[in-house]
Structures are given as structure tokens and as C-alpha cells.
Amino acid sequence: MEEIRFLPCGDSAITVVFSREMSEEANRKLHFLAAQIERERIPGVSETVPAFCSITVYFDPLRISRIKLEKKISRLIRAYREDAAAPRRVFLIPVCYEDAFAPDMADVCRLTGLTKEEVIQIHSSTDYLIYMLGFLPGFPYLGGMDPRIEAPRLDTPRTAIPEGAVGIGGKQTGIYPLASPGGWRLIGQTPVKVYDPTRNMPILYRAGDYIRFCPISAAEFEARRNSAGEIEVREESAV
Amino acid sequence: MKMTVLSPGPLSTVQDEGRFGFMSTGFSPGGAMDTYSMRIANILVGNAPGDGVIEMTMLGMSVSFSCTAVIALTGADMEPAINGTPVAMYTAAEVHAGDILSMKMARSGMRSYLAVAGGFDLPYAMGSMSTNLKCGLGGFSGRKLQSGDEIPLRQSFSLAHLGNRKTEPENVYPDGIGIRVILGPQEDYFTDKGIETFLNTTYTVSEKSDRMGVRLDGDSIENKNGVDILSDGIATGAVQIPASGTPIIMMADRQTTGGYAKIANVISADLPKMAQARPGTRIRFTAVTEKEAVRLKKQQEQKLKALAYMSVFAKQRG
């Protein structure tokens, strides 16, 4: 593991860098730090933003100095043990891959040389780590997509993508939690409300959790749309 | 008890100090662009400094009141008038049922703040009254104000309750400003020449600026091997340099993470100035130390504290 580095972001934030490359280990470690910071309630620290291989910590320099905060963070990280990681949460997200919900499926099949059934089977048989959330509220940057279903982004992004759309963009796959413009190739849609501002946790999952896509029929999609939408979460011991 | 919008102006939204605690799930903090002016407006009408206010952009709105209320306007001077009679900025003023408060184009600066004593009776969404336009969340039905909107007030106040509150106007925003920055987090992505360009060029605020970011026109900043980074967290005032080489300063409605290198970050004390820079404003950047940035922030906070303290005694003095 590389030494962590602290980068200043003005007078009220620092970015703690764990590694220069994307790695599951670095990502696990920074989510551990995020949890520790939240638990410690360090006076003067307001919140954190975990990313691929770094975490940005926001603070009030009139309440805690950067030097003091860096020392505190270094101490918290030293408590990290591989086996101490919390059990992983896997969110089972139902996705309808049928034609009406998958405008780019034919293109993805053409670009990958796979059949529709193969694309669905490959896409729905991985537990994807949520490295970070960004771009839009709840938009997950997922790691671990099978390279066989990689497909380049659209040359011209769509101006409107519906809420819940599931797409592939290059080496990544993800969900659009709210209607938005975007350039990923759409291969399905979930009826689950990933974003609901009236919930205590407006976004269903957090960075550091895992997502598994579960194929459903169009009839199931309609049945689940607008229903309270209980979604299944499995807790599994950490790897 | 309500305030009715007669004409909304191009972009008037309810904002407060921001929506905190949700950045890790991708929600922009939002809130007033110029939080300094916002807090002064609230203090002048006896509200908590971070309460909801209306932020108006370039062109002010016209509103009518259904009851006696105390208002204050800060930030850009949009020549406010009550029933056509000019009313001072940075001064608590009383309006009565049927009165019309109207505003014009900002004489200088970009954003004006209207606070009403007692505050707006609007629901909090995820802990904040700020309008998040992208999510249709918070503020008044999650959108910018429109003609006919009726904004409920929590309470009716008169100046007799509050005393005579005013402060020196700070609403002169020159055409050319100096903005102080701390270099980093990714200044090592740029050549020495690039950093020199950044600190020695007079940039101009572009028409394409908005609440997400202030875009600048001017000399392109040279990088070493590209500006793409593995996305990381962004602080307010981050100076992003995309491939085009001209800076974008990330503001209230920015994305929480981004994949372009950030050469520097505007210091907290200069964010209000940045927020008031209208298209065409000329900007020069100066690098300062973190110690200096914290000293300036402290100075600004002390000014606000002193104002809040004086305001408490305003009533006794009458």
C-alpha cells in the first residue's frame, strides 16, 4: 500500500489520496476512513466525499486546523485492518432488459458480438462495487464490469434519459437515478426509486456497497413501478 | 401572511446556507452563491444568519405583501423601491399590506438577497430550504419563482419589534477584481509556464457562467500530460482546468466530484466576490498562503458577529 498523501483544496477542505491507481483495496480503506470520521464526529468536520482512490474532507478552519485534522486522519487510518472491514451490503436491483426499456441493446449486441441473452446474463451475474457516487445524486460509479460487454459511449449524448435507466459507458455500467442528459448506451431500466427525497436516506445505497442487477419482465416492472418498492439487501461477510 | 410574486426576474430562487450531509451521495451543497450578503440580509431582519432568503440574478423581481413585514436587501444594488419610492439597501425597512416592492437591473454585481423577518414558511427538504433545480428539490416547489407564486411568511413583524437595523452597504462591485487562491490540489499537472499564465493573465467572466460554475475567457493554461484525473471531491471555489485550458470556478450548484485537474482553490473570504462577478468582469488571481486565507476568513466572520451583536441592541436604542 502506498503512503497516503494530503492535498489542500483551499482553506476548508483536504483530499486524502490513498493510491494513484484505482484499486478495490484502496477504495475499501477510504470507505473505512469515511465511516470512522462519521463515527468520531470530529468538531469542525462537516462531511466527506469518497471517490475512486481518495476522500475529500470538508472542515471549518476556524474550529480545527488542517495540521490537527491531518494528524487525526492519520491516526484513524492506522486502525484499519483487512479483516475489520464491515460486512458488505449487496443491493439486488431489479432491471427490465426488454426492448421497450433497452433502446441501445441492439447496438451493444452488434458492438460486442454477443446475443441479447448473453449481454443480460453477463451484466446480471456480477456484484459491482460502488466506488463512488457523483455526477448526479446517487449516480454510482461501479467497478468490475466484464470486459466482454464494454461498449463506447454514444457519439452524441441524449438530451433526456429516463429515471432508472441502466447503461454501459465504456468500461463502466451504472444507473441514472433521475432524468438527465447522458451519453451511456441504455440496456435496461429499474422500477426501483434509487432517489427519493422523502426517505430518511434519499439515496438507496452508499459508496462502498455492492449492486447486483436482477432481470425482471415488463409485467413485473409495471407492478413494481410506484409500489413502495421494498428492495432486497443481502449482507455478506467481507472478502 | 404572504408575499406574492408579480414579476419574477430571470432567475429568482429560495436559498439558504446550503444542504449539508449529502455530498457523499452526490448532492451539491447548493445554497446562496454569496453567503456573506445572505447572512447580512438575515441578521438585518433578526433571522438566524443561515435562514432562507430569495436570491435574484441580474434583474430583480416585483412582489406584493399581504401584511406588515420587515425586509432587508443586500448584495447587488437592484435599485429597490416600495410603491415607487426608493428604499435603502442594507437597511431593515417596513412594508404594509398591499405594498409593492420592485427592483430593476443590478447597477453592479450579479446577485441580490431579500430577507423577510421571521422567514418564509416553506418546508425543508433534506434539511435545507435551498432550491436544487437539477433535482426539483427544496425552495418553492423545487423550481425558480414564477409570477403568481404566493410565498407564505411565518410571522408578521414590524420595525417596532426589531428596532432600526442597518449597516454600511458593501454593494459596490467593480469591473475588475483580484481573487486570492491557494494553489492545489493538482497544481503539479501544470507546467511552470501554465501556473505563470494562471497568475499573470487578466481573465474575463464568460456569459456561460451560472450557479454551477463561473467560466472564464482568457489565455489557455499549459498542462504537462493532460488534465484528466481519477475523479475526486470538489470544494467550493475549486479552479478546474478542462482540456480547453481556460478556468472554471466551481460554485454552489457544482457537481460533488469531477475528473479535471484543479490548479487552485479560491479562498473562502473571496467566494462572495466571485459570486458577484457578472459576465465581463476582469479577474486576476493571486496565490496566498493557507495562514493568510484563514486570517481573512476569521476577519470576515468577526465582522458578521459584530453586526449580529449590534443588531441585538438595535431595539433598545430604538
Side-chain angles (χ1 to χ4, degrees):
Chain A
M1 196 81 202
E2 296 169 42
E3 277 288 299
I4 58 161
R5 291 180 299 140
F6 294 102
L7 306 178
C9 307
D11 52 49
S12 302
I14 45 170
T15 293
V16 189
V17 183
F18 286 75
S19 79
R20 285 168 204 275
E21 307 277 308
M22 240 172 108
S23 88
E24 285 215 17
E25 193 204 345
N27 197 254
R28 258 202 304 278
K29 205 165 170 182
L30 69 91
H31 288 306
F32 168 83
L33 176 63
Q36 292 293 308
I37 290 175
E38 192 173 329
R39 208 185 45 139
E40 289 269 317
R41 297 178 179 274
I42 306 165
V45 171
S46 51
E47 56 193 304
T48 63
V49 171
F52 286 116
C53 52
S54 68
I55 177 169
T56 303
V57 182
Y58 300 81
F59 66 98
D60 177 355
L62 304 184
R63 295 184 64 199
I64 186 168
S65 73
R66 182 173 58 85
I67 302 291
K68 227 173 159 177
L69 179 58
E70 288 182 4
K71 278 188 187 145
K72 180 98 197 166
I73 288 171
S74 299
R75 205 156 54 232
L76 290 174
I77 293 169
R78 276 200 292 274
Y80 178 75
R81 298 280 175 276
E82 269 299 291
D83 51 2
R88 68 189 215 180
R89 296 197 299 172
V90 183
F91 285 78
L92 306 187
I93 305 281
V95 175
C96 181
Y97 294 93
E98 291 181 20
D99 295 348
F101 301 93
D104 299 323
M105 183 62 95
D107 285 339
V108 171
C109 292
R110 187 175 48 77
L111 289 160
T112 59
L114 299 167
T115 66
K116 181 180 155 185
E117 289 67 34
E118 286 167 333
V119 171
I120 296 171
Q121 196 273 326
I122 293 169
H123 189 255
S124 61
S125 59
T126 303
D127 288 351
Y128 299 97
L129 168 65
I130 305 175
Y131 273 93
M132 58 179 270
L133 302 171
F135 170 57
L136 286 173
F139 188 89
Y141 287 84
L142 303 175
M145 192 177 78
D146 192 312
R148 284 177 295 167
I149 55 172
E150 282 176 16
R153 295 171 195 209
L154 297 173
D155 290 337
T156 311
R158 284 189 173 83
T159 53
I161 285 178
E163 172 188 333
V166 173
I168 290 175
K171 297 175 191 301
Q172 293 181 309
T173 181
I175 310 168
Y176 285 88
L178 49 146
S180 136
W184 289 22
R185 294 187 193 262
L186 308 181
I187 59 163
Q189 194 173 339
T190 178
V192 166
K193 276 199 153 324
V194 167
Y195 160 64
D196 179 354
T198 63
R199 274 195 309 243
N200 198 17
M201 296 290 291
I203 300 298
L204 203 56
Y205 37 67
R206 303 174 61 149
D209 290 330
Y210 288 78
I211 281 178
R212 188 183 307 156
F213 298 111
C214 306
I216 57 168
S217 67
E220 275 175 273
F221 182 98
E222 290 309 328
R224 293 199 58 162
R225 195 208 281 271
N226 303 327
S227 74
E230 280 295 300
I231 111 128
E232 194 184 340
V233 184
R234 281 191 201 152
E235 292 228 341
E236 296 170 4
S237 61
V239 274
Chain B
M1 291 180 298
K2 66 190 183 207
M3 186 176 92
T4 303
V5 178
L6 305 177
S7 79
L11 178 61
S12 299
T13 54
V14 178
Q15 298 293 345
D16 61 12
E17 60 191 336
R19 183 167 284 111
F20 300 107
F22 299 96
M23 262 158 63
S24 65
T25 49
F27 289 90
S28 319
M33 287 281 280
D34 173 359
T35 52
Y36 185 69
S37 296
M38 172 207 76
R39 288 191 286 171
I40 294 176
N42 273 321
I43 291 169
L44 287 171
V45 297
N47 292 350
D51 267 358
V53 298
I54 312 268
E55 177 181 279
M56 294 166 277
T57 317
M58 280 310 272
L59 172 63
M61 44 179 204
S62 295
V63 293
S64 67
F65 291 84
S66 76
C67 62
T68 301
V70 176
I71 61 161
L73 286 148
T74 60
D77 182 356
M78 296 179 176
E79 303 184 67
I82 297 171
N83 303 328
T85 307
V87 56
M89 299 279 298
Y90 287 83
T91 304
E94 194 172 272
V95 292
H96 302 99
D99 282 356
I100 291 174
L101 169 69
S102 58
M103 277 156 278
K104 299 179 186 164
M105 285 292 289
R107 294 167 67 175
S108 66
M110 182 79 179
R111 297 179 165 91
S112 194
Y113 294 90
L114 167 65
V116 179
F120 303 112
D121 193 8
L122 293 171
Y124 289 88
M126 295 166 59
S128 165
M129 218 183 257
S130 290
T131 312
N132 180 329
L133 293 171
K134 199 197 270 178
C135 300
L137 182 71
F140 190 92
S141 303
R143 59 165 171 77
K144 64 180 188 178
L145 297 174
Q146 297 171 357
S147 294
D149 285 347
E150 296 182 344
I151 306 167
L153 305 179
R154 288 202 191 109
Q155 237 179 306
S156 167
F157 272 96
S158 72
L159 271 181
H161 291 117
L162 289 167
N164 200 8
R165 292 157 180 252
K166 64 178 190 177
T167 182
E168 286 306 308
E170 300 196 17
N171 52 324
V172 180
Y173 302 100
D175 298 336
I177 56 174
I179 293 286
R180 289 161 291 193
V181 298
I182 295 174
L183 289 176
Q186 283 104 17
E187 82 273 28
D188 55 337
Y189 275 63
F190 302 92
T191 60
D192 290 346
K193 188 178 154 228
I195 291 179
E196 210 187 290
T197 306
F198 173 61
L199 295 173
N200 289 297
T201 300
T202 301
Y203 285 98
T204 309
V205 175
S206 152
E207 294 279 349
K208 283 176 274 178
S209 303
D210 55 21
R211 281 180 45 88
M212 282 177 72
V214 177
R215 288 166 185 269
L216 303 182
D217 293 326
D219 291 347
S220 181
I221 292 162
E222 186 181 83
N223 62 62
K224 288 179 185 162
N225 299 301
V227 288
D228 289 350
I229 59 166
L230 268 175
S231 289
D232 66 3
I234 296 177
T236 308
V239 184
Q240 238 182 19
I241 311 293
S244 70
T246 52
I248 304 174
I249 295 112
M250 308 303 283
M251 300 298 282
D253 284 352
R254 68 180 187 275
Q255 295 175 198
T256 50
T257 58
Y260 292 121
K262 298 170 281 292
I263 194 169
N265 208 105
V266 176
I267 67 169
S268 298
D270 281 353
L271 288 171
K273 239 193 311 189
M274 198 70 245
Q276 292 289 358
R278 59 162 71 181
T281 304
R282 283 167 288 113
I283 289 181
R284 298 254 325 188
F285 294 102
T286 316
V288 296
T289 61
E290 182 193 3
K291 200 174 159 197
E292 176 70 354
V294 174
R295 188 186 68 80
L296 290 163
K297 182 182 167 79
K298 192 167 186 179
Q299 211 175 55
Q300 211 171 59
E301 292 301 318
Q302 278 168 344
K303 251 167 105 178
L304 283 173
K305 259 187 200 152
L307 178 64
Y309 188 73
M310 282 188 315
S311 298
V312 171
F313 293 106
K315 188 175 182 258
Q316 280 95 320
R317 286 202 312 272

